[in-house]
Amino acid sequence: MKTKATLIIGAAVVAMYSCDTKNYTEQDRVEVTTNLENYVDSVENAVQMVPVHNWSMIDERYDSLDSRAEKVYNDLEVEDDNLEMIEERYELAVKNGKAEADNFDRTAKMHMENVETWWDKTSSDIEKGTKRTADDIEEATQESMTWLEQNFDNLSDDYKKKYEDITMNLNKD
């Protein structure tokens, strides 16, 4: 009787263990891979469209999707070559995105310095009573003002404030 009880308990443990080892299906693997690929696609597209991103949020979401995918792949005991290729694409997109953001920041700084230099040079005339308007802006400075206006939403808060201050003073009647 004792042997029979031991065998039944042993069979139950083996049955439970075999049920628990495969929590995921092939459909789950396809789904997590697709989700991860779609996310990397969206990061690649976003990097091309907008120069400034919250990289910590982007990395956090990627890590979450990647972690889930790794669990499924490990549970199914499947090679993760797909995940490695997706990770390489993601890392390249992030690298390119950060390079674009740095380039955007350098360009914004150059345009802001151009406008500030012009403003510092001409604001003393305003104090003396000589009126300056947007029509009086030199071509290179106007080019910088236009660039700053077109990219206003992506500028740092500091550059936004400086730009607003200069344009407000420039447009006073």
Side-chain angles (χ1 to χ4, degrees), residues 10-173:
V13 169
V14 169
M16 284 176 45
Y17 178 76
S18 64
C19 290
D20 285 343
T21 57
K22 298 292 182 200
N23 293 325
Y24 301 103
T25 65
E26 180 62 20
Q27 179 60 37
D28 292 326
R29 186 191 66 76
V30 170
E31 184 180 316
V32 296
T33 304
T34 301
N35 289 344
L36 196 57
E37 283 179 323
N38 288 342
Y39 186 72
V40 172
D41 288 345
S42 69
V43 169
E44 288 172 336
N45 290 332
V47 164
Q48 292 174 359
M49 291 187 286
V50 181
V52 181
H53 300 282
N54 182 339
W55 291 110
S56 60
M57 278 182 44
I58 291 171
D59 285 339
E60 189 177 299
R61 177 69 176 142
Y62 174 82
D63 290 343
S64 170
L65 291 169
D66 185 52
S67 176
R68 169 102 168 105
E70 285 179 7
K71 283 180 188 175
V72 172
Y73 274 66
N74 287 339
D75 184 68
L76 295 174
E77 298 175 358
V78 176
E79 290 292 321
D80 65 350
D81 293 342
N82 284 343
L83 298 183
E84 289 175 18
M85 289 186 334
I86 294 169
E87 182 177 9
E88 288 173 11
R89 281 183 46 218
Y90 175 74
E91 289 173 357
L92 182 60
V94 169
K95 179 182 170 188
N96 290 341
K98 288 181 179 180
E100 284 295 318
D102 289 344
N103 187 39
F104 179 84
D105 287 343
R106 280 192 304 279
T107 303
K109 181 180 180 188
M110 178 204 56
H111 285 296
M112 184 53 69
E113 286 174 352
N114 186 20
V115 170
E116 286 177 320
T117 300
W118 174 83
W119 182 250
D120 290 343
K121 188 171 59 174
T122 60
S123 63
S124 62
D125 290 341
I126 293 172
E127 291 171 9
K128 293 177 189 172
T130 306
K131 187 177 181 208
R132 282 287 195 186
T133 66
D135 296 335
D136 297 329
I137 297 176
E138 298 151 359
E139 188 176 328
T141 304
Q142 183 58 53
E143 199 174 295
S144 290
M145 293 289 287
T146 301
W147 188 93
L148 291 166
E149 181 180 347
Q150 290 171 345
N151 292 284
F152 185 81
D153 292 337
N154 296 322
L155 295 175
S156 68
D157 290 340
D158 183 44
Y159 286 157
K160 285 179 182 178
K161 172 123 178 60
K162 288 178 181 181
Y163 176 79
E164 287 173 335
D165 289 346
I166 289 172
T167 55
M168 184 175 67
N169 285 321
L170 194 61
N171 293 322
K172 281 185 180 178
D173 288 330

